[in-house]
Amino acid sequence: MTDRLHRLVYYSRNHVSADASSFQSAVDDILARSRANNARDAITGALLFNAGCFAQVLEGPLEAVEATFERIQQDERHSDVSLLAFDPVEHRSFPNWAMGFIGLSDRDAARFSGIATASGFDPARLSGEEIHRLLRDLTLEEEHAL
Ligand SMILES: Cc1cc2nc3c(=O)[nH]c(=O)nc-3n(C[C@H](O)[C@H](O)[C@H](O)COP(=O)(O)O)c2cc1C
Protein backbone atom coordinates (compact mmCIF):
# COMPACT_ATOMS: atom_id res chain seq x y z
CA MET A 1 0.00 0.00 0.00
CA THR A 2 2.89 2.34 0.72
CA ASP A 3 3.53 2.97 -2.95
CA ARG A 4 -0.07 3.81 -3.77
CA LEU A 5 -0.37 7.09 -5.66
CA HIS A 6 -1.34 10.04 -3.45
CA ARG A 7 -1.92 13.73 -4.01
CA LEU A 8 -1.10 16.41 -1.46
CA VAL A 9 -2.10 20.09 -1.67
CA TYR A 10 -0.90 22.85 0.64
CA TYR A 11 -0.40 26.58 0.74
CA SER A 12 2.04 28.63 2.78
CA ARG A 13 3.22 32.14 3.46
CA ASN A 14 6.09 33.23 1.21
CA HIS A 15 9.15 34.59 3.08
CA VAL A 16 11.40 34.97 0.07
CA SER A 17 12.61 38.56 -0.15
CA ALA A 18 10.68 40.63 -2.65
CA ASP A 19 13.97 42.11 -3.89
CA ALA A 20 14.06 40.98 -7.52
CA SER A 21 17.50 39.36 -7.69
CA SER A 22 17.26 37.48 -4.40
CA PHE A 23 13.75 36.41 -5.30
CA GLN A 24 14.96 35.01 -8.61
CA SER A 25 17.85 33.12 -7.02
CA ALA A 26 15.58 31.65 -4.30
CA VAL A 27 13.10 30.52 -6.94
CA ASP A 28 15.89 29.04 -9.08
CA ASP A 29 17.20 27.12 -6.06
CA ILE A 30 13.79 25.77 -5.06
CA LEU A 31 13.07 24.66 -8.62
CA ALA A 32 16.45 23.05 -9.22
CA ARG A 33 16.23 21.03 -6.00
CA SER A 34 12.61 20.14 -6.57
CA ARG A 35 13.15 18.94 -10.11
CA ALA A 36 16.21 16.82 -9.21
CA ASN A 37 14.67 15.30 -6.07
CA ASN A 38 11.22 14.81 -7.55
CA ALA A 39 12.56 13.07 -10.66
CA ARG A 40 14.49 10.72 -8.36
CA ASP A 41 11.45 10.10 -6.12
CA ALA A 42 8.77 9.74 -8.84
CA ILE A 43 7.04 12.92 -7.68
CA THR A 44 5.23 15.25 -10.05
CA GLY A 45 3.26 18.42 -9.40
CA ALA A 46 3.17 22.16 -9.69
CA LEU A 47 4.11 25.16 -7.61
CA LEU A 48 2.31 28.48 -7.77
CA PHE A 49 3.45 31.66 -6.11
CA ASN A 50 2.81 35.33 -5.82
CA ALA A 51 4.41 37.89 -3.54
CA GLY A 52 2.52 36.65 -0.50
CA CYS A 53 2.13 32.91 -0.76
CA PHE A 54 2.98 29.57 -2.29
CA ALA A 55 0.51 26.86 -3.26
CA GLN A 56 1.77 23.45 -4.31
CA VAL A 57 0.46 20.11 -5.48
CA LEU A 58 2.65 17.02 -4.96
CA GLU A 59 1.68 13.63 -6.36
CA GLY A 60 3.52 10.32 -6.15
CA PRO A 61 3.97 7.21 -4.02
CA LEU A 62 2.74 7.76 -0.47
CA GLU A 63 6.10 7.47 1.30
CA ALA A 64 7.85 9.71 -1.20
CA VAL A 65 5.17 12.40 -0.90
CA GLU A 66 5.37 12.26 2.91
CA ALA A 67 9.17 12.52 2.94
CA THR A 68 9.13 15.43 0.49
CA PHE A 69 6.46 17.28 2.44
CA GLU A 70 8.48 16.79 5.65
CA ARG A 71 11.46 18.53 4.05
CA ILE A 72 9.30 21.28 2.59
CA GLN A 73 7.74 22.03 5.98
CA GLN A 74 11.21 22.58 7.49
CA ASP A 75 12.13 25.12 4.84
CA GLU A 76 12.56 28.65 6.20
CA ARG A 77 11.71 30.26 2.90
CA HIS A 78 8.06 29.94 3.88
CA SER A 79 5.90 29.44 7.00
CA ASP A 80 2.35 28.65 8.11
CA VAL A 81 2.26 25.60 5.87
CA SER A 82 -1.42 24.58 5.71
CA LEU A 83 -2.31 21.12 4.47
CA LEU A 84 -5.49 21.26 2.38
CA ALA A 85 -5.74 17.76 0.92
CA PHE A 86 -3.89 14.44 1.09
CA ASP A 87 -5.71 11.61 -0.64
CA PRO A 88 -5.14 8.47 -2.68
CA VAL A 89 -5.74 9.09 -6.39
CA GLU A 90 -6.00 6.90 -9.47
CA HIS A 91 -4.09 9.11 -11.90
CA ARG A 92 -1.51 11.86 -11.94
CA SER A 93 -2.72 15.31 -12.97
CA PHE A 94 0.84 16.51 -13.75
CA PRO A 95 2.47 13.48 -15.43
CA ASN A 96 4.87 15.67 -17.42
CA TRP A 97 5.98 17.99 -14.64
CA ALA A 98 8.66 17.13 -12.05
CA MET A 99 7.63 20.54 -10.78
CA GLY A 100 5.67 22.95 -12.94
CA PHE A 101 6.11 26.52 -11.86
CA ILE A 102 3.73 29.39 -12.25
CA GLY A 103 4.10 32.95 -11.09
CA LEU A 104 0.54 34.13 -10.87
CA SER A 105 -0.08 37.76 -11.69
CA ASP A 106 -3.24 39.39 -10.43
CA ARG A 107 -4.32 39.68 -14.04
CA ASP A 108 -4.01 35.89 -14.45
CA ALA A 109 -5.85 35.38 -11.19
CA ALA A 110 -8.70 37.57 -12.36
CA ARG A 111 -9.41 35.06 -15.12
CA PHE A 112 -10.27 32.43 -12.55
CA SER A 113 -13.55 33.46 -11.10
CA GLY A 114 -13.58 33.94 -7.41
CA ILE A 115 -9.86 33.68 -6.66
CA ALA A 116 -8.71 37.24 -7.26
CA THR A 117 -9.18 39.56 -4.30
CA ALA A 118 -8.42 43.23 -3.84
CA SER A 119 -5.00 42.21 -2.48
CA GLY A 120 -4.37 39.69 -5.26
CA PHE A 121 -4.55 35.92 -5.33
CA ASP A 122 -5.29 34.48 -1.90
CA PRO A 123 -5.08 30.66 -1.68
CA ALA A 124 -6.36 30.75 1.88
CA ARG A 125 -9.78 31.25 0.35
CA LEU A 126 -9.54 28.14 -1.83
CA SER A 127 -10.11 24.46 -1.10
CA GLY A 128 -7.51 21.80 -1.93
CA GLU A 129 -9.61 20.74 -4.91
CA GLU A 130 -9.85 24.31 -6.22
CA ILE A 131 -6.07 24.79 -5.96
CA HIS A 132 -5.50 21.44 -7.64
CA ARG A 133 -7.83 22.38 -10.49
CA LEU A 134 -6.28 25.83 -10.89
CA LEU A 135 -2.72 24.49 -11.11
CA ARG A 136 -3.79 21.73 -13.48
CA ASP A 137 -5.50 24.21 -15.80
CA LEU A 138 -2.52 26.58 -15.75
CA THR A 139 0.05 23.86 -16.44
CA LEU A 140 -2.11 22.46 -19.25
CA GLU A 141 -2.15 25.94 -20.81
CA GLU A 142 1.65 26.01 -20.53
CA GLU A 143 1.93 22.62 -22.21
CA HIS A 144 -0.19 23.79 -25.11
CA ALA A 145 1.83 27.00 -25.39
CA LEU A 146 5.14 25.08 -25.73
C1 LIG B 1 7.63 26.48 -1.65
C2 LIG B 1 8.65 25.39 -1.68
C3 LIG B 1 8.42 24.25 -2.45
C4 LIG B 1 9.35 23.21 -2.49
N1 LIG B 1 9.09 22.10 -3.25
C5 LIG B 1 9.94 21.05 -3.22
C6 LIG B 1 9.67 19.86 -3.94
O1 LIG B 1 8.66 19.72 -4.65
N2 LIG B 1 10.58 18.84 -3.87
C7 LIG B 1 11.71 18.93 -3.13
O2 LIG B 1 12.48 17.98 -3.09
N3 LIG B 1 12.01 20.06 -2.45
C8 LIG B 1 11.16 21.11 -2.48
N4 LIG B 1 11.46 22.27 -1.79
C9 LIG B 1 12.79 22.37 -1.16
C10 LIG B 1 12.83 21.67 0.16
O3 LIG B 1 12.27 22.50 1.16
C11 LIG B 1 14.30 21.33 0.54
O4 LIG B 1 15.07 22.51 0.51
C12 LIG B 1 14.90 20.33 -0.41
O5 LIG B 1 14.02 19.25 -0.64
C13 LIG B 1 16.21 19.81 0.15
O6 LIG B 1 16.76 18.95 -0.78
P1 LIG B 1 18.26 18.45 -0.68
O7 LIG B 1 18.35 17.73 0.65
O8 LIG B 1 18.44 17.54 -1.84
O9 LIG B 1 19.11 19.69 -0.74
C14 LIG B 1 10.55 23.33 -1.74
C15 LIG B 1 10.76 24.46 -0.96
C16 LIG B 1 9.85 25.50 -0.94
C17 LIG B 1 10.12 26.71 -0.11
Side-chain angles (χ1 to χ4, degrees), residues 10 30 33-34 37-38 47 54 56 58 68 71-72 75 77-78 99:
Y10 75 84
I30 290 170
R33 277 171 211 274
S34 300
N37 291 344
N38 296 354
L47 175 67
F54 290 107
Q56 189 171 27
L58 299 169
T68 301
R71 291 198 309 275
I72 291 173
D75 199 308
R77 289 171 289 196
H78 63 173
M99 192 45 61

